[in-house]
Amino acid sequence: MKILFAASECVPFIKTGGLADVVGALSPVLTQKGEDVRVILPLYSSIPEKWTSQMKQECEFEVELCWRKQYCGIKSLEYQGVKFYFVDNQFYFGRSYIYGLGGDEYERFGFFSRAVIDALPHLNFQPDVIHCHDWQTGMVPALLKIQYAHFPFYQNMKTAYTIHNLQYQGVFPIKAVQDTLGLGDSLFTSDKLECYGCANYMKAGLVYADELTTVSPSYADEIQTAFYGERLDGLLRARKEQLSGILNGIDIDDYDPAKDPMIYANYDPYHLGGKETCKAELQKELGLNVDPNAPLVGIISRLSNQKGLDLIECVIRELMDTGIQLVVLGMGEAKYTNLFSWAESEYPGRLAARFAMNHQLAHRIYAGSDMFLMPSQFEPCGLSQLIALRYGSVPIVRETGGLRDTVLSYNKFTDEGNGFSFFNYNAHDMLHTVRRAVHYYKNNREVWYKLIVRGMTGDYSWYSSAGKYLDMYKRLTATVAAEETPAAEEAPVVAEAPVVEEAPVAEEAPVVEEVKPAPKKRAPRKKKVEEAPVEEVKPAPKKRTTRKKAEEAPAAEPAPKKRAPRKKKETAAE
């Protein structure tokens, strides 16, 4: 099976979030399962030179954007058995940023969506399924069905569309999108591309893709409700038969504490001495008090409301009163960088904040922390809690989306669970859960080590999830085969028709009917049929004669009768 992933980012080339991890980790696993999987993404100027130097030129052509044409080059390289294509256009992608600063995102990713489709004949690659990810590629399924479906090359291609975060939809003015992609007014209605007076790239994918997925079963259910649906819940409910949730995995080779070169010491579930070393060294690196008994809590996150940081803001003093040390790594909204900057000065030696994207430091925080805090308002899947489990950092999460699917709160009665969780989006519920985790850390080390081992020995690989994606692709390609079978089945039906008419079964039928009372019923029917034409022959002329008389009557006789009395009255008067 031939599968093309279309995405705006992918590890190890370019990354801003979990989307890159998913595309970069899922594609090699599908390749290992024997599928021909390729990935296409923009050639950003920020892709490191170590990768661009390995790329080779595949082809060059022009992409039509309504009334203008733009250059497009396709470069490629192979990594982990997967062929990666890069869409080259310096005007759109040769910038110092990845997303959101130029005011022309609709044009940049409109160009990318059309370039993905236009590149396929030039690359001589005809995928069975194009798997699109997030709003940046939402127009690919729409353009494919609206403008390309009549070309034989594209007719049998199916599309799958994955929602990684429904909050980011790619909403733009309708006229701007029309001026880029040449889409008519009839397409911008509430059942197609229009959404509250604007064009919506994600909605385009949701409406026109053949199959929809999201990154966890719980999130697939949540986004069909008004609270989580981001004004698209009605559409998602309408397409619930095509919507499924497939849980993300992680690259278990990249995130393996037993051989990770980025951490201070390696360890495994049954030899945790290296983890103690990682904690001590992390405390030194970040200027924290080197205290093996202080519970070290890690946060690696985008600094935004979605991640539940407003809950931390409400109770940060009470959190620090539990005796924890807190490490924060991430970038985002100014109010949260200000919050943690203030807290770092307020709690010297106990709180450290680094506002950057530092992959190596992230690995060290996973390895050196005792707990990992994720109080998200919503979380489509979340990879951080999976990585934390893999490194033996016990997660504390809110029960939403993928967090609910992957973290089971410890139950002291059944001795089940691999972390701690709370349900209500409430600061004091979070605070109570942190206190509960600290209690077990300090007072019940036997349970604590059970939680560490359960987390580290769990299966967080892509192999199970990749099988579910593969099943989805097979369903899509089976649909294509089903659409083609009627034409193949009609031929034998036409060929067999004369044989059935000439078969002796037709001659034997009356014999069977004569033995049974059936012929008795048919005999009177035949008589009636024979008598009917005799009766019909005679009345037919009678009816016709009456019709002729009826036609002649008003012309000859009735007219004089009406005039006769008038003449009699005149004679009487005389």
Side-chain angles (χ1 to χ4, degrees), residues 18-23 25-26 133 162-164 213-217 245-251 380-383 385-386 402 405-406 459-466 468-469:
L19 166 62
D21 291 306
V22 172
V23 176
L26 176 58
H133 298 263
T162 295
I163 307 164
H164 292 267
T213 73
T214 189
V215 289
S216 71
I246 302 176
L247 193 66
N248 282 342
I250 59 173
D251 188 331
C381 176
L383 299 179
Q385 85 279 11
L386 299 178
D405 294 331
T406 54
D459 182 10
Y460 313 112
S461 70
W462 269 106
Y463 291 100
S464 174
S465 298
K468 295 177 182 177
Y469 278 110

Side-chain angles (χ1 to χ4, degrees), residues 36 63 73 76 79 95 106 117 193 199 207-208 214 218 232 246 262 332 346 369 442 447 450 510 544 549 564:
D36 182 1
V63 172
S76 68
Y79 176 73
R95 308 182 184 185
Y106 64 89
I117 302 172
L193 304 180
V207 170
Y208 286 96
T214 189
S218 290
L232 293 176
I246 302 176
M262 300 186 191
E346 186 75 6
S369 59
K442 291 183 176 180
V447 169
K450 280 184 182 179
R544 288 176 185 172
K549 289 178 182 178

Side-chain angles (χ1 to χ4, degrees), residues 77 102 141 168 193 209 270 317 323 386 431 434 439 441-442 463 494:
L77 65 81
Y168 302 98
L193 304 180
Y270 308 105
R317 290 189 182 277
L386 299 178
L431 177 62
V434 172
H439 165 76
Y441 176 85
K442 291 183 176 180
Y463 291 100
V494 174

Side-chain angles (χ1 to χ4, degrees), residues 199-376:
N200 187 314
Y201 277 35
M202 177 168 280
K203 186 182 178 184
L206 297 179
V207 170
Y208 286 96
D210 298 298
E211 194 79 15
L212 308 177
T213 73
T214 189
V215 289
S216 71
S218 290
Y219 191 60
D221 294 333
E222 289 175 350
I223 59 177
Q224 296 180 53
T225 66
F227 185 80
Y228 293 98
E230 301 291 343
R231 304 197 298 180
L232 293 176
D233 52 291
L235 171 59
L236 292 164
R237 287 194 298 272
R239 298 214 63 192
K240 64 181 179 180
E241 297 302 322
Q242 293 80 38
L243 174 63
S244 59
I246 302 176
L247 193 66
N248 282 342
I250 59 173
D251 188 331
I252 57 175
D253 292 323
D254 189 25
Y255 296 104
D256 184 359
K259 58 182 182 182
D260 189 344
M262 300 186 191
I263 62 178
Y264 291 107
N266 297 120
Y267 57 94
D268 61 49
Y270 308 105
H271 304 88
L272 294 173
K275 185 167 180 63
E276 296 174 1
T277 302
C278 288
K279 178 178 178 178
E281 293 298 324
L282 180 66
Q283 289 172 327
K284 291 178 185 177
E285 179 182 356
L286 299 178
L288 302 175
N289 301 327
V290 180
D291 182 358
N293 297 319
L296 180 56
V297 179
I299 297 175
I300 302 173
S301 171
R302 185 175 69 254
L303 304 182
S304 70
N305 278 339
Q306 177 204 332
K307 299 300 183 179
L309 300 184
D310 52 334
L311 302 186
I312 296 175
E313 182 180 21
C314 290
V315 294
I316 190 164
R317 290 189 182 277
E318 290 91 333
L319 273 177
M320 300 308 296
D321 288 343
T322 62
I324 65 170
Q325 292 181 344
L326 185 62
V327 177
V328 180
L329 175 65
M331 299 174 65
E333 298 174 21
K335 72 174 184 176
Y336 295 120
T337 58
N338 293 338
L339 168 67
F340 291 117
S341 296
W342 165 84
E344 189 172 25
S345 62
E346 186 75 6
Y347 299 97
R350 295 187 55 206
L351 192 150
R354 299 293 182 270
F355 308 117
M357 294 180 64
N358 188 324
H359 191 56
Q360 185 175 29
L361 179 57
H363 278 243
R364 291 178 178 176
I365 293 174
Y366 286 124
S369 59
D370 298 301
M371 309 170 196
F372 196 86
L373 182 59
M374 289 184 71
S376 302

